[in-house]
Amino acid sequence: MKYETIIGLEIHAQLLTESKMFCSCSNKFGDKPNTNICPVCTGQPGVLPVTNRKAIELAIKTALALNCTIEPSSVFARKHYFYPDLPKNFQISQYELPLATKGYIEIEVDGKKRKIGITRVHLEEDAGKLVHVGAERIMGAEESLVDYNRTGTPLMEIVSEPDLRSPKEAAVYTQRLAELLRSLMVCDAKMEEGSLRCDANISIRPIGEAKFGTKTEVKNINSFKAIEKALISEEKRHLEVTEEGEKIIQETRFFDEQTETTTGMRSKEYAHDYRYFPEPDLVPIEPSTEWIEEIRQTIGELPQQKKERFITELKLSPETAQIMVADKQTGDFFEAVVKLHGQPVAAANWIVGDITAFLNEQKMSFNELALSPAQLAEILKMIDTGTLSNKLAKDVLFQVLKTGKQVKEVIEGAGLTQISDESELTKVIEEIIKNNPKQVEQFKSGKTAVLAFFVGQVMKATKGRANPQVLNALLKKALH
Ligand SMILES: [Zn+2]
């Protein structure tokens, strides 16, 4: 029997707000444990939560970009469960009446475009964080410490329809969504740091069958690469279990990135286990049409629209265009260089090549770059005029990246300017011809390939600073 795979994803995105979801504590990541806390986010008796307006704005912005309907009235609800990182013993989330519903995002996999439905976008607060001593998970740990700094930080949950049909589609969907969140500046979407988290529901069914098979939920997917791996492994398990005539049990499974397998964590909870009820201390969210329209105006060009424009108008390859739209900073930087220098492909090559390599090596992001668009444009212009060879330009670029110095300063400091002066180069060429009579003979007897040897010698003598065009012309003249 042939089966098809059904996948739906729940993505949790930490919102880039200054303060938490229902109190004024800082939403900053990486501070000393239990310093950004107050009676509200630690669940003390008698406190009252107040909804963060900015969090609502960012969620509406995302929902609009995902073609969702913003609900005229949405309600917060208490989701009850017990865990040490949840001091109130309930999480404020949205349940029956979410902020936004019925949207979609378009993805392209292997040249095929598909619309993936978005069931809902809702707001909630995050739980705290347990730090396990001596083990990665609570199982096997000597002790576990709790940090409440993350408790109450704003989260946006984006739930997809079960429209994804392969682990690869799931991975691409998450990439597109992450890139959208980054470009809207609502979330930095770093899966490795936990600012974007993904839970995946997966099931299989015989092709042609309308009813869904029993699903399992895969947790602990901590990187973009892990999404595809986790789902491939779980898809394989579903097929094996089914083909052996056994039944898949509805449960939550833990993905282990080391072994690339999933193991059962706990039987899946059902909604009624959480005893949801409307949060009595918060008013419904009822955004006015004017406010929604105001937010819509701030969206601007979306990453995939920008990609199309880069391909058709600026003649970038689809691969390069994709890298340029991965986050807002890269795209903005690229466009600023193009405005100053006018050659998109050249600018893109430097950004995708050496600059990206440098950033990866230093584990830096684009906005930490010590290079301005004007500086890159200046370097590119110097290549055009022959002041710098490609190799020298690279050296200058790395010096600027490393030191943050001005381009001119780097060039003057290191004496890196290209030598185009004919008399200066002729002197070097004459010297080399004098010292290599054998090669000169070879050249004269018709072995013109030996020209490369002379080019190499001159480059060596000038430390790569000879202007290649001028050098070639002078060498040929001298040898003849
Ligand atoms: Zn607080």
Side-chain angles (χ1 to χ4, degrees):
M1 200 178 279
K2 283 228 181 297
Y3 291 90
E4 69 173 340
T5 304
I6 313 289
I7 298 167
L9 296 182
E10 290 168 17
I11 305 272
H12 285 93
Q14 276 180 355
L15 294 173
L16 291 170
T17 56
E18 293 286 322
S19 56
K20 291 189 183 182
M21 191 69 225
F22 301 112
C23 63
S24 57
C25 289
S26 166
N27 185 27
K28 211 170 129 227
F29 174 79
D31 281 353
K32 231 175 126 228
N34 298 309
T35 51
N36 298 329
I37 54 171
C38 74
V40 176
C41 55
T42 54
Q44 306 303 312
V47 294
L48 285 173
V50 177
T51 312
N52 184 332
R53 184 183 165 93
K54 186 75 187 177
I56 300 173
E57 182 192 314
L58 297 182
I60 291 178
K61 192 174 177 182
T62 309
L64 290 173
L66 290 170
N67 311 293
C68 289
T69 305
I70 308 298
E71 294 296 329
S73 180
S74 69
V75 168
F76 284 106
R78 292 186 179 182
K79 178 183 182 180
H80 296 84
Y81 67 96
F82 171 79
Y83 207 65
D85 63 9
L86 189 72
K88 292 200 295 279
N89 288 341
F90 63 83
Q91 176 193 24
I92 303 178
S93 180
Q94 292 191 298
Y95 179 53
E96 281 172 324
L97 298 167
L99 180 85
T101 56
K102 295 192 206 74
Y104 66 85
I105 186 170
E106 199 171 65
I107 63 165
E108 187 177 338
V109 178
D110 301 328
K112 225 175 88 192
K113 281 188 181 165
R114 290 197 59 214
K115 266 184 192 174
I116 305 302
I118 305 290
T119 315
R120 56 191 279 153
V121 175
H122 76 238
L123 281 164
E124 59 186 30
E125 57 177 346
D126 207 348
K129 200 177 166 184
L130 288 183
V131 181
H132 307 298
V133 181
E136 213 181 302
R137 299 168 68 182
I138 199 160
M139 261 99 77
E142 290 159 34
E143 55 186 359
S144 295
L145 305 165
V146 64
D147 178 4
Y148 287 128
N149 280 355
R150 204 179 70 179
T151 311
T153 64
L155 278 187
M156 173 173 61
E157 183 170 336
I158 301 165
V159 182
S160 87
E161 288 290 309
D163 285 347
L164 298 156
R165 290 292 172 269
S166 70
K168 191 173 180 186
E169 281 192 359
V172 172
Y173 166 86
T174 315
Q175 291 278 11
R176 288 296 83 76
L177 201 54
E179 150 198 308
L180 184 79
L181 298 178
R182 283 193 292 260
S183 87
L184 295 174
M185 313 255 263
V186 302
C187 170
D188 62 14
K190 292 179 181 165
M191 281 197 82
E192 286 79 358
E193 290 176 15
S195 59
L196 192 81
R197 283 168 256 156
C198 168
D199 299 332
N201 287 297
I202 179 169
S203 64
I204 59 165
R205 69 178 171 195
I207 288 181
E209 171 91 50
K211 213 175 125 235
F212 289 127
T214 306
K215 65 181 178 184
T216 53
E217 183 177 8
V218 185
K219 282 191 182 287
N220 195 45
I221 302 174
N222 295 328
S223 67
F224 289 104
K225 272 189 202 133
I227 295 173
E228 200 171 350
K229 283 184 190 163
L231 287 168
I232 286 173
S233 139
E234 186 59 7
E235 177 183 54
K236 192 164 155 260
R237 196 186 66 84
H238 275 244
L239 286 168
E240 282 167 1
V241 169
T242 309
E243 269 162 15
E244 278 165 22
E246 307 272 325
K247 280 204 160 30
I248 289 287
I249 305 160
Q250 180 163 345
E251 62 179 349
T252 302
R253 296 181 67 87
F254 182 90
F255 177 63
D256 184 337
E257 213 169 338
Q258 298 298 315
T259 61
E260 292 186 14
T261 54
T262 66
T263 47
M265 252 170 100
R266 56 172 188 253
S267 62
K268 171 80 187 159
E269 310 80 359
Y270 293 87
H272 63 250
D273 292 327
Y274 291 118
R275 284 157 180 80
Y276 281 100
F277 66 74
E279 165 62 62
D281 291 337
L282 288 167
V283 292
I285 303 174
E286 293 175 344
S288 68
T289 318
E290 293 76 34
W291 192 34
I292 295 172
E293 287 315 306
E294 214 173 278
I295 296 170
R296 198 193 297 276
Q297 298 310 315
T298 65
I299 292 177
E301 190 180 30
L302 296 175
Q304 291 305 303
Q305 297 168 336
K306 195 178 274 183
K307 181 181 168 184
E308 284 302 314
R309 180 166 63 82
F310 285 176
I311 295 170
T312 52
E313 287 177 23
L314 304 183
K315 308 292 171 217
L316 299 192
S317 70
E319 296 75 21
T320 307
Q322 181 56 52
I323 299 171
M324 291 304 154
V325 301
D327 59 63
K328 191 168 160 33
Q329 286 86 3
T330 312
D332 287 352
F333 186 94
F334 165 67
E335 294 208 79
V337 179
V338 173
K339 219 174 230 171
L340 293 164
H341 177 243
Q343 292 179 38
V345 176
N349 284 342
W350 282 77
I351 293 170
V352 174
D354 294 296
I355 295 173
T356 303
F358 176 83
L359 289 173
N360 290 344
E361 197 186 289
Q362 306 287 321
K363 292 196 169 48
M364 277 163 58
S365 63
F366 223 92
N367 50 352
E368 295 167 281
L369 205 61
L371 175 83
S372 67
Q375 285 175 311
L376 181 58
E378 192 180 349
I379 295 174
L380 292 175
K381 280 181 194 160
M382 285 181 169
I383 300 175
D384 297 343
T385 57
T387 315
L388 287 176
S389 66
N390 259 305
K391 191 195 162 295
L392 288 178
K394 231 176 237 197
D395 292 345
V396 172
L397 174 78
F398 280 116
Q399 286 302 317
V400 175
L401 287 172
K402 280 181 196 154
T403 61
K405 282 185 186 166
Q406 293 300 314
V407 174
K408 286 234 159 62
E409 209 182 329
V410 169
I411 292 174
E412 280 159 15
L416 285 173
T417 337
Q418 186 160 266
I419 307 169
S420 304
D421 181 61
E422 294 198 7
S423 63
E424 199 177 339
L425 282 177
T426 305
K427 257 187 245 160
V428 183
I429 290 169
E430 279 170 357
E431 185 73 17
I432 287 167
I433 287 181
K434 202 174 82 192
N435 294 336
N436 297 282
K438 210 174 94 199
Q439 280 81 359
V440 175
E441 275 314 305
Q442 285 173 346
F443 183 85
K444 281 183 175 161
S445 68
K447 272 191 165 180
T448 47
V450 83
L451 189 70
F453 163 81
F454 287 103
V455 172
Q457 292 296 309
V458 178
M459 281 300 183
K460 205 168 139 190
T462 57
K463 297 195 174 69
R465 291 167 56 220
N467 178 321
Q469 282 89 28
V470 180
L471 169 62
N472 256 306
L474 287 177
L475 253 180
K476 277 183 196 154
K477 210 168 95 189
L479 284 166
H480 282 302

